[in-house]
Amino acid sequence: MTADSEAMMTQKKHKFLIDLSALLFRISDVLGHIAAAALIVLTIALTLGVGLRLFRVDSSWTYNIGLFSLMWVAFIGASYCALRDFHVTAGISIEHFIHRGHRVIVALRYVVLLVFLAVFLFSAWNKFLETLLTHQRTVDSLRWELWIAQISAPIGIGGWLLADLGKFIRKMIDPEESYGEEVQEDFSV
């Protein structure tokens, strides 16, 4: 049996899981574009803040826009980094040394990571709800709602969870395949 025919059989056998992981990858990719937009807003806010200070104009509101954008970049960008394998995981070196139990170690690493992210998501969601329900605001002249920044955590962590869940599904179907930079090609599956 050739490698191409094995790949075709694997795709037919696990079509639902492959489609599900492709959807999870798409969601995380969209979140990456949101993080890029937040980075642009962060850059503009900081530049504007510095420029306004030069002319002694009250620019305290630019600090909050920058802070909110930074939170969006950090949390939403984490899901994109997880999708593209731009972050470091502790299990990578161990997985390359152990060949027999490779799949078990990969599964354990993903289970630990997914449980951590689920707990982190629960905590972030509760913090978001707290700021939303108590109507917490910033103390500057514009009085921004704090939930605008806080919602970035559950969205980003949820995206990270979806990205790693998709990678876990793909890794269990085909343990040899890598989904880092070439994940873009997997969207068409």
Side-chain angles (χ1 to χ4, degrees):
M1 192 180 288
T2 67
D4 289 337
S5 62
E6 284 183 30
M8 293 285 275
M9 287 180 61
T10 301
Q11 283 185 348
K12 287 180 182 177
K13 185 178 177 183
H14 301 290
K15 180 163 177 37
F16 172 74
L17 293 176
I18 290 171
D19 290 344
L20 175 64
S21 64
L23 173 67
L24 299 178
F25 290 157
R26 281 191 182 105
I27 292 170
S28 294
D29 194 50
V30 167
L31 291 176
H33 288 83
I34 294 171
L39 184 60
I40 292 169
V41 170
L42 173 65
T43 304
I44 292 170
L46 292 177
T47 304
L48 194 58
V50 169
L52 289 173
R53 277 195 202 120
L54 277 171
F55 298 108
R56 306 215 190 291
V57 177
D58 178 27
S59 63
S60 61
W61 58 273
T62 61
Y63 170 77
N64 288 324
I65 291 176
L67 185 62
F68 287 13
S69 299
L70 181 62
M71 285 186 69
W72 277 85
V73 167
F75 285 110
I76 305 295
S79 69
Y80 185 76
C81 289
L83 174 69
R84 302 288 179 175
D85 279 338
F86 290 160
H87 66 289
V88 178
T89 61
I92 289 175
S93 59
I94 295 171
E95 292 165 12
H96 290 292
F97 289 116
I98 300 174
H99 298 290
R100 267 195 138 156
H102 172 76
R103 212 170 188 178
V104 173
I105 290 174
V106 169
L108 284 174
R109 180 172 57 92
Y110 275 108
V111 166
V112 168
L113 179 63
L114 294 174
V115 167
F116 167 75
L117 289 174
V119 170
F120 194 16
L121 177 63
F122 177 75
S123 174
W125 180 254
N126 285 336
K127 183 63 179 168
F128 159 69
L129 286 180
E130 176 187 325
T131 58
L132 180 68
L133 297 175
T134 58
H135 303 288
Q136 294 178 15
R137 294 176 175 269
T138 61
V139 293
D140 66 348
S141 59
L142 296 179
R143 304 197 30 91
W144 297 90
E145 293 277 347
L146 283 181
W147 68 265
I148 297 169
Q150 293 293 333
I151 190 65
S152 67
I155 291 172
I157 296 164
W160 186 355
L161 184 68
L162 293 177
D164 273 332
L165 182 61
K167 287 188 339 188
F168 173 65
I169 291 169
R170 291 280 179 102
K171 206 67 146 157
M172 291 299 104
I173 292 171
D174 186 8
E176 299 302 316
E177 196 162 344
S178 173
Y179 299 101
E181 300 216 4
E182 60 276 347
V183 79
Q184 191 71 24
E185 298 167 8
D186 294 335
F187 291 157
S188 61
V189 175

